[in-house]
Amino acid sequence: MKTDIILCGVGGQGILSIATIIGEAALNEGLYIKQAEVHGMSQRGGDVQSNLRISDKIINSDLIAKGSADVIIAMEPMEALRYLPYLKKDTGWIITSATPFKNIPNYPDMEVINKDLQALPNVIVVDIEQLAKDNGVPRSANVILLGAAQKALGIEYDKLEDAIRRVFGRKGEAIVDANIKALAIGRSQQK
């Protein structure tokens, strides 16, 4: 078993929280994990990307080579396309938010971005912001996206739930419950 995951978005969207949950689930299963993170120039609004490699065998490098990522999880649709060269051709999955984070003046037209995404074989686009708002978990949109990615990650759903309990447990039961609810909402969006 080996899964190479690229998580990407903009600072403040919860990419590193997703990486922590996935990593916790993998470590609890006795798997090997390597992670490399790139933070943008600013905490909020800058590009954030994380390479997350999970395997049942020892992993030598924490970086994912072009054309070898199994999954791209993107909190922002343009960021999903930015890392497309790293995705495995024909078998790789993109799970992305539908909502753009327009932090640059020349942000591409959403029609073009959506057309590019729709042309790919394995894509799940989820309006996580609206789902989070409609379901009373506005701060857990990132975990909705994680729920939508669960099957592509190859990690059992209950293992992610357990990881959420461990990662957010110190923040209180309400935070844990909100994130478990968000994970379930995302799971309902899987293809």
Side-chain angles (χ1 to χ4, degrees):
M1 178 262 175
K2 180 183 81 62
T3 306
D4 287 341
I5 307 157
I6 293 178
L7 301 121
C8 55
V10 176
Q13 290 185 306
I15 286 296
L16 301 180
S17 293
I18 294 173
T20 301
I21 295 166
I22 295 169
E24 179 70 22
L27 287 173
N28 199 49
E29 286 301 298
L31 298 172
Y32 294 96
I33 182 169
K34 290 252 184 179
Q35 181 177 2
E37 298 173 2
V38 175
H39 301 271
M41 291 299 289
S42 64
Q43 267 188 306
R44 294 219 178 262
D47 175 43
V48 175
Q49 181 257 338
S50 180
N51 285 356
L52 192 58
R53 304 187 75 206
I54 301 169
S55 178
D56 57 358
K57 295 178 177 62
I58 292 176
I59 303 166
N60 294 316
S61 173
D62 54 0
L63 297 177
I64 298 171
K66 286 188 177 179
S68 63
D70 298 291
V71 183
I72 294 174
I73 299 174
M75 287 293 295
E76 206 285 328
M78 183 183 74
E79 293 296 324
L81 293 175
R82 178 191 311 248
Y83 292 99
L84 189 57
Y86 289 88
L87 192 65
K88 280 185 181 173
K89 189 177 171 119
D90 300 324
T91 61
W93 277 88
I94 291 179
I95 296 88
T96 184
S97 170
T99 308
F101 188 98
K102 296 183 178 181
N103 60 344
I104 55 173
N106 57 344
Y107 193 94
D109 185 270
M110 277 308 295
E111 283 186 31
V112 173
I113 289 173
N114 287 331
K115 184 179 177 186
D116 289 346
L117 287 169
Q118 291 167 1
L120 299 168
N122 304 309
V123 176
I124 298 173
V125 179
V126 183
D127 191 346
I128 59 172
E129 299 296 333
Q130 192 62 52
L131 283 169
K133 186 191 230 181
D134 291 350
N135 288 282
V137 290
R139 300 199 57 178
S140 300
N142 60 331
V143 180
I144 291 174
L145 196 62
L146 175 59
Q150 176 263 322
K151 193 184 294 183
L153 294 172
I155 298 173
E156 293 178 34
Y157 182 81
D158 63 322
K159 305 302 181 198
L160 290 173
E161 269 190 349
D162 291 343
I164 287 171
R165 285 186 185 91
R166 286 189 301 278
V167 169
F168 294 111
R170 63 181 168 74
K171 293 187 176 187
E173 194 172 319
I175 301 295
V176 170
D177 291 345
N179 282 287
I180 287 175
K181 180 179 180 180
L183 189 71
I185 293 164
R187 182 185 197 185
S188 72
Q189 303 299 307
Q190 293 180 10
K191 287 186 179 181

